[in-house]
Amino acid sequence: MHGYCTIWLCILLPLHSLAQLSVDTSYNEESLVREVFFQANASLSHISFKGSYRALGLFEVNNEDFPLKKGIILSSGDAKSAGGPNQNPATSSVHRTAGDSYLDKLSGGTTYDASVLEFSFVPEQNTIAFEYIFASEEYPEFVGKGFHDVFAFVLTDLGSHRSYNLALVPETQLPVHVDHINSKRHNEWYIANAYRKSGQWYDLLEYDGLTQVLTAQAAVVPGRKYRIRLAIADVHDPMLDSSVLLKEKSFRSFNTPSTEIVTNSESTLVTPHTILFDWDSSELSPDAEEKLRQFADDVLLNAAKAIWVVGHTDSWGSDTYNEQLARRRVQTVVNYLARLGLKGKVRLYRRSKGENEPVANNADAFGRSQNRRVVVSAEF
């Protein structure tokens, strides 16, 4: 019997290992950013990394169901500890490296073992985006207890020197961490992964919880230089690891549709209609109502599959107030489209981005007038 058990173990162990997430920390930051993370359509320069090189690596997953197959892992602990099975509810690696002042302010506490990956780029098109997953050992025990590890994707316009954190809970201005995405709050973005074999990715990941795939996105000015900081750290103490998984080749530059009709093999997207608003107002002007009537006619005539309504503000006012104002503007547009006959006839998606994606300079009155807007578009 002992001989048979040995044979079966030799067969099963390789199969089990294939189900794990594996990490290689031998890559440097240059090769990870240029060869793993980056797509074309933007020039790239000044790549740097601060932190322990045990916290930065290339991850790969041999599992058809897991949404990210390969990419960069950036951790507050040892990146190699990310691989499953999840047999420890409190995996911790202490590097004894410095924290990060921006993450101190964002978290409201002292940070430790910060890992910061930075690079500069010049986009050729008007939007940048990338996909990621956040995972942490602080789930679920430390939700709401002030020990949430913190991370941020800080985009800085090197012309205006304005900075924006792109790591936000969808349709909010809340930074992503264990207190904002968990089993009770914004739980549509949460995946439990308890260490007692009850987690969805128990065999794959060590972490006790993780987010769904999230998208970081921002409007940019083609030809202008930007810098982005991808940073993660422990908060209040250096214990309990967290990581961000950045999808391979997902950092990209692309154009928001700007022609009358944009067609690909699957769908047609109508030109976004921009509805402008007066300062501190969510009321529609006569011109805005006319634009929405034209938009609704197109949607009904051509049997649209879905429509999007995305609200924005200028930079005056607090982040919280501007988020609320953007939501009111979106609701005003949605209500008007409903009165025009769209209610119940087409899927509707809404987002409120506050002041985070300006299309013009907020330093002057004209620029602010262009940023006080709702953008509507439709897929056919």
Side-chain angles (χ1 to χ4, degrees):
M1 288 294 295
H2 291 290
Y4 286 111
C5 288
T6 301
I7 292 171
W8 279 109
L9 282 172
C10 291
I11 294 172
L12 290 174
L13 282 175
L15 293 175
H16 179 78
S17 66
L18 288 176
Q20 294 179 347
L21 177 147
S22 62
V23 175
D24 185 342
T25 57
S26 67
Y27 290 80
N28 62 32
E29 59 268 31
E30 284 274 344
S31 59
L32 286 171
V33 172
R34 290 186 184 278
E35 300 169 20
V36 178
F37 191 38
F38 219 71
Q39 284 188 14
N41 300 327
S43 64
L44 182 62
S45 63
H46 299 93
I47 301 169
S48 66
F49 175 71
K50 181 184 75 173
S52 170
Y53 278 92
R54 291 167 53 204
L56 175 69
L58 172 75
F59 77 84
E60 294 190 75
V61 179
N62 192 346
N63 183 303
E64 289 299 320
D65 295 325
F66 194 70
L68 305 187
K69 304 300 186 291
K70 186 177 180 180
I72 297 175
I73 181 170
L74 192 66
S75 182
S76 67
D78 188 336
K80 287 187 175 181
S81 298
N86 186 358
Q87 296 179 328
N88 186 344
T91 298
S92 299
S93 304
V94 180
H95 300 308
R96 302 187 187 281
T97 54
D100 181 81
S101 58
Y102 181 91
L103 296 181
D104 287 346
K105 294 177 182 178
L106 186 63
S107 66
T110 301
T111 58
Y112 301 84
D113 289 344
S115 299
V116 184
L117 182 62
E118 295 188 69
F119 56 87
S120 299
F121 65 97
V122 179
E124 294 180 2
Q125 297 169 296
N126 66 14
T127 307
I128 60 107
F130 58 92
E131 281 75 52
Y132 68 96
I133 285 174
F134 170 68
S136 180
E137 282 290 79
E138 293 188 334
Y139 287 119
E141 299 92 336
F142 290 93
V143 170
K145 297 184 179 179
F147 285 89
H148 53 265
D149 290 350
V150 64
F151 76 99
F153 303 142
V154 184
L155 179 69
T156 300
D157 182 331
L158 295 180
S160 67
H161 300 288
R162 286 185 60 84
S163 295
Y164 311 91
N165 178 23
L166 307 183
L168 301 175
V169 179
E171 298 188 36
T172 78
Q173 297 301 306
L174 299 172
V176 174
H177 56 59
V178 298
D179 285 356
H180 291 158
I181 294 181
N182 52 60
S183 63
K184 295 181 179 179
R185 190 175 187 190
H186 299 292
N187 58 9
E188 68 271 25
W189 302 108
Y190 177 63
I191 300 174
N193 196 51
Y195 75 100
R196 294 176 178 173
K197 297 190 177 183
S198 61
Q200 181 176 352
W201 303 114
Y202 165 81
D203 287 323
L204 182 67
L205 284 173
E206 171 60 43
Y207 302 107
D208 291 349
L210 63 154
T211 68
Q212 302 279 359
V213 178
L214 302 174
T215 300
Q217 182 170 318
V220 292
V221 179
R224 183 177 293 181
K225 194 171 186 178
Y226 292 83
R227 188 157 183 84
I228 192 164
R229 297 179 88 242
L230 312 173
I232 188 169
D234 290 318
V235 178
H236 293 306
D237 62 40
M239 308 303 293
L240 299 180
D241 295 349
S242 297
S243 290
V244 173
L245 308 178
L246 306 168
K247 184 179 180 181
E248 178 189 31
K249 299 295 184 184
S250 67
F251 192 97
R252 61 204 184 275
S253 168
F254 58 93
N255 269 329
T256 298
S258 58
T259 57
E260 185 63 24
I261 295 289
V262 177
T263 306
N264 59 34
S265 61
E266 297 178 353
S267 63
T268 302
L269 188 66
V270 166
T271 304
H273 291 252
T274 299
I275 310 302
L276 297 179
F277 289 82
D278 289 336
W279 180 76
D280 199 29
S281 172
S282 57
E283 298 296 320
L284 293 173
S285 67
D287 179 67
E289 291 180 349
E290 176 59 27
K291 284 187 177 181
L292 289 174
R293 284 194 292 270
Q294 293 174 4
F295 176 77
D297 288 344
D298 288 340
V299 168
L300 292 170
L301 180 64
N302 296 289
K305 297 177 183 177
I307 62 175
W308 286 263
V309 182
V310 184
H312 305 265
T313 70
D314 61 27
S315 61
W316 284 15
S318 69
D319 289 348
T320 300
Y321 183 80
N322 284 337
E323 168 63 20
Q324 294 170 348
L325 178 58
R327 286 177 181 270
R328 291 199 300 273
R329 288 172 175 166
V330 167
Q331 191 60 54
T332 296
V333 170
V334 169
N335 290 345
Y336 194 75
L337 291 175
R339 293 200 298 271
L340 294 173
L342 268 60
K343 185 176 182 180
K345 295 185 179 179
V346 62
R347 295 197 313 273
L348 184 145
Y349 301 95
R350 65 181 80 191
R351 294 193 68 181
S352 304
K353 297 189 176 183
E355 65 182 76
N356 285 307
E357 294 187 6
V359 293
N361 193 340
N362 276 304
D364 58 66
F366 176 77
R368 291 191 295 274
S369 73
Q370 301 306 295
N371 292 329
R372 298 191 294 264
R373 70 198 193 281
V374 166
V375 179
V376 293
S377 56
E379 181 188 5
F380 294 97

